[in-house]
Amino acid sequence: MSIGHTLLGLLENGPRHGYDLKRAYDDRFGHDRRVHYGQVYSTLARLLKQGLVEADGIEAGGGPERKRYAITEAGVADVGTWLATPEKPEAYLQNTLYTKVVLALLSGRPAADVLDVQRSAHLDAMRELTRRKTGGDLVDQLVCDHALFHLEADLRWLELTAARLDQLAKEIA
């Protein structure tokens, strides 16, 4: 995810301090990976240099002064372009799991064990996501559904590969 574009999108609702942006980011998008303060401020500095945000005042508070940032017209246009640009679908044509299966076969190790261990890890992750989804709000449900669909596709690949292990072993020998 582009943190810069996300911060710009959050600024479209009005000027904010870096602290407020971090909190808004974490509340909306940081369920599994929160953004660090340093990342927020370094991103804001870059956006400022690029002319996508501008300083909108400084306020004194109980602690250090807080600089407020506002999105510029160029920033609004940049977010619009980013939103209209589709994400590149990930094809995973050369993934680590496939490599492990082939190397297990080449070394005479049981490739079925590699698949079984991975299947178990996927099922554990799916159970945890299902628990989270059941007790979560709509945001959690959508995030968990996305992850679950990817894990289901991986499980289908694991089953297909397990069914073709003998054939694969002959082809790579």
Side-chain angles (χ1 to χ4, degrees):
M1 176 179 350
S2 168
I3 298 214
H5 286 113
T6 305
L7 295 179
L8 286 172
L10 290 170
L11 284 170
E12 282 194 282
N13 291 325
R16 294 182 183 207
H17 304 97
Y19 174 81
D20 295 333
L21 283 168
K22 185 227 181 309
R23 203 171 58 223
Y25 180 98
D26 288 348
D27 287 347
R28 299 246 187 247
F29 312 109
H31 291 107
D32 291 318
R33 190 180 317 169
R34 298 191 179 280
V35 68
H36 297 286
Y37 284 105
Q39 193 171 12
V40 169
Y41 290 109
S42 64
T43 301
L44 286 169
R46 183 175 40 80
L47 295 172
L48 190 62
K49 189 182 284 187
Q50 293 172 337
L52 301 176
V53 299
E54 60 190 8
D56 189 54
I58 297 176
E59 295 177 7
E65 292 181 338
R66 297 179 357 162
K67 186 185 295 186
R68 193 172 52 239
Y69 297 88
I71 192 168
T72 63
E73 286 184 32
V76 172
D78 195 58
V79 170
T81 299
W82 179 66
L83 291 173
T85 303
E87 292 296 307
K88 182 181 181 225
E90 295 294 330
Y92 303 112
L93 292 177
Q94 191 64 286
N95 70 30
T96 305
L97 186 53
Y98 169 77
T99 302
K100 286 182 172 186
V101 169
V102 169
L103 290 175
L105 289 170
L106 289 173
S107 68
R109 291 181 178 94
D113 290 355
V114 173
L115 296 171
D116 288 343
V117 167
Q118 192 62 51
R119 184 182 303 106
S120 178
H122 270 60
L123 290 171
D124 288 345
M126 291 176 81
R127 280 189 284 276
E128 179 57 36
L129 286 166
T130 301
R131 273 193 292 277
R132 178 176 163 185
K133 176 183 167 180
T134 302
D137 60 10
L138 181 58
V139 171
D140 268 340
Q141 292 170 14
L142 290 171
V143 168
C144 290
D145 280 340
H146 185 263
L148 284 164
F149 292 148
H150 282 274
L151 290 170
E152 286 174 8
D154 286 350
L155 282 175
R156 286 195 311 268
W157 181 86
L158 289 166
E159 295 305 319
L160 180 67
T161 303
R164 294 178 174 174
L165 274 180
D166 290 340
Q167 182 184 352
L168 180 60
K170 289 176 188 169
E171 286 193 23
I172 63 171

PDB file of all heavy atoms in Angstrom, residues 87-98 150 153-154 156-157:
ATOM      1  N   GLU A  87      -4.415  -1.767  -9.502  1.00  0.00           N
ATOM      2  CA  GLU A  87      -3.253  -2.431  -8.933  1.00  0.00           C
ATOM      3  C   GLU A  87      -2.860  -3.582  -9.838  1.00  0.00           C
ATOM      4  O   GLU A  87      -3.722  -4.238 -10.430  1.00  0.00           O
ATOM      5  CB  GLU A  87      -3.577  -2.970  -7.538  1.00  0.00           C
ATOM      6  CG  GLU A  87      -3.807  -1.891  -6.504  1.00  0.00           C
ATOM      7  CD  GLU A  87      -2.571  -1.060  -6.249  1.00  0.00           C
ATOM      8  OE1 GLU A  87      -1.509  -1.640  -5.967  1.00  0.00           O
ATOM      9  OE2 GLU A  87      -2.675   0.178  -6.342  1.00  0.00           O
ATOM     10  N   LYS A  88      -1.577  -3.843  -9.944  1.00  0.00           N
ATOM     11  CA  LYS A  88      -1.104  -4.943 -10.776  1.00  0.00           C
ATOM     12  C   LYS A  88      -1.466  -6.265 -10.099  1.00  0.00           C
ATOM     13  O   LYS A  88      -1.082  -6.500  -8.956  1.00  0.00           O
ATOM     14  CB  LYS A  88       0.412  -4.860 -10.954  1.00  0.00           C
ATOM     15  CG  LYS A  88       0.954  -5.938 -11.835  1.00  0.00           C
ATOM     16  CD  LYS A  88       2.455  -5.841 -11.964  1.00  0.00           C
ATOM     17  CE  LYS A  88       2.913  -6.950 -12.889  1.00  0.00           C
ATOM     18  NZ  LYS A  88       4.062  -7.650 -12.406  1.00  0.00           N
ATOM     19  N   PRO A  89      -2.218  -7.113 -10.787  1.00  0.00           N
ATOM     20  CA  PRO A  89      -2.536  -8.417 -10.200  1.00  0.00           C
ATOM     21  C   PRO A  89      -1.249  -9.214  -9.975  1.00  0.00           C
ATOM     22  O   PRO A  89      -0.373  -9.246 -10.831  1.00  0.00           O
ATOM     23  CB  PRO A  89      -3.406  -9.093 -11.255  1.00  0.00           C
ATOM     24  CG  PRO A  89      -3.938  -7.974 -12.086  1.00  0.00           C
ATOM     25  CD  PRO A  89      -2.860  -6.921 -12.076  1.00  0.00           C
ATOM     26  N   GLU A  90      -1.128  -9.811  -8.808  1.00  0.00           N
ATOM     27  CA  GLU A  90       0.047 -10.611  -8.483  1.00  0.00           C
ATOM     28  C   GLU A  90      -0.152 -12.017  -9.027  1.00  0.00           C
ATOM     29  O   GLU A  90      -1.086 -12.712  -8.646  1.00  0.00           O
ATOM     30  CB  GLU A  90       0.252 -10.645  -6.968  1.00  0.00           C
ATOM     31  CG  GLU A  90       0.589  -9.300  -6.375  1.00  0.00           C
ATOM     32  CD  GLU A  90       1.936  -8.769  -6.823  1.00  0.00           C
ATOM     33  OE1 GLU A  90       2.846  -9.579  -7.107  1.00  0.00           O
ATOM     34  OE2 GLU A  90       2.064  -7.546  -6.904  1.00  0.00           O
ATOM     35  N   ALA A  91       0.730 -12.437  -9.896  1.00  0.00           N
ATOM     36  CA  ALA A  91       0.583 -13.741 -10.521  1.00  0.00           C
ATOM     37  C   ALA A  91       1.287 -14.855  -9.738  1.00  0.00           C
ATOM     38  O   ALA A  91       0.949 -16.022  -9.892  1.00  0.00           O
ATOM     39  CB  ALA A  91       1.127 -13.691 -11.951  1.00  0.00           C
ATOM     40  N   TYR A  92       2.260 -14.542  -8.910  1.00  0.00           N
ATOM     41  CA  TYR A  92       2.987 -15.534  -8.125  1.00  0.00           C
ATOM     42  C   TYR A  92       3.497 -16.690  -8.990  1.00  0.00           C
ATOM     43  O   TYR A  92       3.345 -17.853  -8.636  1.00  0.00           O
ATOM     44  CB  TYR A  92       2.109 -16.099  -7.001  1.00  0.00           C
ATOM     45  CG  TYR A  92       1.572 -15.071  -6.065  1.00  0.00           C
ATOM     46  CD1 TYR A  92       0.212 -14.788  -6.033  1.00  0.00           C
ATOM     47  CD2 TYR A  92       2.410 -14.379  -5.213  1.00  0.00           C
ATOM     48  CE1 TYR A  92      -0.295 -13.829  -5.174  1.00  0.00           C
ATOM     49  CE2 TYR A  92       1.914 -13.421  -4.353  1.00  0.00           C
ATOM     50  CZ  TYR A  92       0.567 -13.161  -4.334  1.00  0.00           C
ATOM     51  OH  TYR A  92       0.060 -12.216  -3.496  1.00  0.00           O
ATOM     52  N   LEU A  93       4.083 -16.358 -10.128  1.00  0.00           N
ATOM     53  CA  LEU A  93       4.534 -17.411 -11.029  1.00  0.00           C
ATOM     54  C   LEU A  93       5.763 -18.147 -10.508  1.00  0.00           C
ATOM     55  O   LEU A  93       6.038 -19.260 -10.924  1.00  0.00           O
ATOM     56  CB  LEU A  93       4.820 -16.837 -12.416  1.00  0.00           C
ATOM     57  CG  LEU A  93       3.578 -16.356 -13.162  1.00  0.00           C
ATOM     58  CD1 LEU A  93       3.966 -15.742 -14.494  1.00  0.00           C
ATOM     59  CD2 LEU A  93       2.594 -17.486 -13.375  1.00  0.00           C
ATOM     60  N   GLN A  94       6.509 -17.552  -9.620  1.00  0.00           N
ATOM     61  CA  GLN A  94       7.685 -18.209  -9.072  1.00  0.00           C
ATOM     62  C   GLN A  94       7.702 -17.969  -7.579  1.00  0.00           C
ATOM     63  O   GLN A  94       8.285 -17.021  -7.097  1.00  0.00           O
ATOM     64  CB  GLN A  94       8.951 -17.658  -9.737  1.00  0.00           C
ATOM     65  CG  GLN A  94      10.207 -18.435  -9.438  1.00  0.00           C
ATOM     66  CD  GLN A  94      10.189 -19.845  -9.973  1.00  0.00           C
ATOM     67  OE1 GLN A  94       9.512 -20.704  -9.431  1.00  0.00           O
ATOM     68  NE2 GLN A  94      10.915 -20.093 -11.031  1.00  0.00           N
ATOM     69  N   ASN A  95       7.016 -18.810  -6.837  1.00  0.00           N
ATOM     70  CA  ASN A  95       6.949 -18.568  -5.408  1.00  0.00           C
ATOM     71  C   ASN A  95       7.842 -19.523  -4.628  1.00  0.00           C
ATOM     72  O   ASN A  95       8.298 -20.541  -5.131  1.00  0.00           O
ATOM     73  CB  ASN A  95       5.506 -18.571  -4.904  1.00  0.00           C
ATOM     74  CG  ASN A  95       4.875 -19.942  -4.918  1.00  0.00           C
ATOM     75  OD1 ASN A  95       5.538 -20.952  -4.759  1.00  0.00           O
ATOM     76  ND2 ASN A  95       3.570 -19.975  -5.107  1.00  0.00           N
ATOM     77  N   THR A  96       8.044 -19.187  -3.376  1.00  0.00           N
ATOM     78  CA  THR A  96       8.936 -19.949  -2.510  1.00  0.00           C
ATOM     79  C   THR A  96       8.427 -21.366  -2.284  1.00  0.00           C
ATOM     80  O   THR A  96       9.220 -22.315  -2.246  1.00  0.00           O
ATOM     81  CB  THR A  96       9.089 -19.217  -1.164  1.00  0.00           C
ATOM     82  OG1 THR A  96       9.515 -17.888  -1.429  1.00  0.00           O
ATOM     83  CG2 THR A  96      10.090 -19.910  -0.267  1.00  0.00           C
ATOM     84  N   LEU A  97       7.139 -21.531  -2.147  1.00  0.00           N
ATOM     85  CA  LEU A  97       6.600 -22.860  -1.883  1.00  0.00           C
ATOM     86  C   LEU A  97       6.875 -23.812  -3.050  1.00  0.00           C
ATOM     87  O   LEU A  97       7.268 -24.966  -2.843  1.00  0.00           O
ATOM     88  CB  LEU A  97       5.100 -22.780  -1.587  1.00  0.00           C
ATOM     89  CG  LEU A  97       4.449 -24.080  -1.153  1.00  0.00           C
ATOM     90  CD1 LEU A  97       5.181 -24.709   0.032  1.00  0.00           C
ATOM     91  CD2 LEU A  97       2.997 -23.837  -0.796  1.00  0.00           C
ATOM     92  N   TYR A  98       6.693 -23.344  -4.262  1.00  0.00           N
ATOM     93  CA  TYR A  98       6.998 -24.168  -5.431  1.00  0.00           C
ATOM     94  C   TYR A  98       8.477 -24.556  -5.411  1.00  0.00           C
ATOM     95  O   TYR A  98       8.829 -25.711  -5.659  1.00  0.00           O
ATOM     96  CB  TYR A  98       6.653 -23.427  -6.720  1.00  0.00           C
ATOM     97  CG  TYR A  98       7.172 -24.107  -7.960  1.00  0.00           C
ATOM     98  CD1 TYR A  98       6.520 -25.223  -8.465  1.00  0.00           C
ATOM     99  CD2 TYR A  98       8.320 -23.664  -8.593  1.00  0.00           C
ATOM    100  CE1 TYR A  98       7.002 -25.888  -9.585  1.00  0.00           C
ATOM    101  CE2 TYR A  98       8.812 -24.319  -9.710  1.00  0.00           C
ATOM    102  CZ  TYR A  98       8.158 -25.422 -10.208  1.00  0.00           C
ATOM    103  OH  TYR A  98       8.643 -26.075 -11.308  1.00  0.00           O
ATOM    104  N   HIS A 150      -7.403 -15.612  -0.635  1.00  0.00           N
ATOM    105  CA  HIS A 150      -6.043 -15.916  -1.101  1.00  0.00           C
ATOM    106  C   HIS A 150      -5.546 -17.239  -0.506  1.00  0.00           C
ATOM    107  O   HIS A 150      -4.919 -18.038  -1.209  1.00  0.00           O
ATOM    108  CB  HIS A 150      -5.088 -14.778  -0.748  1.00  0.00           C
ATOM    109  CG  HIS A 150      -5.202 -13.616  -1.670  1.00  0.00           C
ATOM    110  ND1 HIS A 150      -4.507 -13.543  -2.855  1.00  0.00           N
ATOM    111  CD2 HIS A 150      -5.944 -12.497  -1.598  1.00  0.00           C
ATOM    112  CE1 HIS A 150      -4.818 -12.415  -3.471  1.00  0.00           C
ATOM    113  NE2 HIS A 150      -5.690 -11.762  -2.740  1.00  0.00           N
ATOM    114  N   ALA A 153      -7.149 -20.131  -2.330  1.00  0.00           N
ATOM    115  CA  ALA A 153      -6.496 -20.379  -3.621  1.00  0.00           C
ATOM    116  C   ALA A 153      -5.187 -21.138  -3.405  1.00  0.00           C
ATOM    117  O   ALA A 153      -4.863 -22.070  -4.161  1.00  0.00           O
ATOM    118  CB  ALA A 153      -6.248 -19.060  -4.350  1.00  0.00           C
ATOM    119  N   ASP A 154      -4.438 -20.760  -2.380  1.00  0.00           N
ATOM    120  CA  ASP A 154      -3.201 -21.480  -2.073  1.00  0.00           C
ATOM    121  C   ASP A 154      -3.491 -22.938  -1.730  1.00  0.00           C
ATOM    122  O   ASP A 154      -2.757 -23.841  -2.156  1.00  0.00           O
ATOM    123  CB  ASP A 154      -2.479 -20.833  -0.883  1.00  0.00           C
ATOM    124  CG  ASP A 154      -1.813 -19.517  -1.231  1.00  0.00           C
ATOM    125  OD1 ASP A 154      -1.728 -19.172  -2.431  1.00  0.00           O
ATOM    126  OD2 ASP A 154      -1.370 -18.825  -0.291  1.00  0.00           O
ATOM    127  N   ARG A 156      -5.958 -24.765  -2.783  1.00  0.00           N
ATOM    128  CA  ARG A 156      -6.287 -25.467  -4.039  1.00  0.00           C
ATOM    129  C   ARG A 156      -5.001 -25.853  -4.768  1.00  0.00           C
ATOM    130  O   ARG A 156      -4.876 -26.964  -5.301  1.00  0.00           O
ATOM    131  CB  ARG A 156      -7.184 -24.604  -4.925  1.00  0.00           C
ATOM    132  CG  ARG A 156      -8.612 -24.522  -4.440  1.00  0.00           C
ATOM    133  CD  ARG A 156      -9.580 -23.984  -5.474  1.00  0.00           C
ATOM    134  NE  ARG A 156      -9.154 -22.766  -6.128  1.00  0.00           N
ATOM    135  CZ  ARG A 156      -9.468 -21.531  -5.720  1.00  0.00           C
ATOM    136  NH1 ARG A 156     -10.236 -21.367  -4.662  1.00  0.00           N
ATOM    137  NH2 ARG A 156      -9.049 -20.476  -6.377  1.00  0.00           N
ATOM    138  N   TRP A 157      -4.021 -24.929  -4.772  1.00  0.00           N
ATOM    139  CA  TRP A 157      -2.745 -25.215  -5.420  1.00  0.00           C
ATOM    140  C   TRP A 157      -2.020 -26.348  -4.689  1.00  0.00           C
ATOM    141  O   TRP A 157      -1.450 -27.239  -5.322  1.00  0.00           O
ATOM    142  CB  TRP A 157      -1.872 -23.956  -5.462  1.00  0.00           C
ATOM    143  CG  TRP A 157      -0.564 -24.217  -6.145  1.00  0.00           C
ATOM    144  CD1 TRP A 157      -0.312 -24.165  -7.487  1.00  0.00           C
ATOM    145  CD2 TRP A 157       0.667 -24.604  -5.526  1.00  0.00           C
ATOM    146  NE1 TRP A 157       0.993 -24.498  -7.738  1.00  0.00           N
ATOM    147  CE2 TRP A 157       1.613 -24.763  -6.541  1.00  0.00           C
ATOM    148  CE3 TRP A 157       1.045 -24.830  -4.218  1.00  0.00           C
ATOM    149  CZ2 TRP A 157       2.930 -25.137  -6.289  1.00  0.00           C
ATOM    150  CZ3 TRP A 157       2.358 -25.207  -3.955  1.00  0.00           C
ATOM    151  CH2 TRP A 157       3.279 -25.353  -4.988  1.00  0.00           C
TER     152      TRP A 157
END
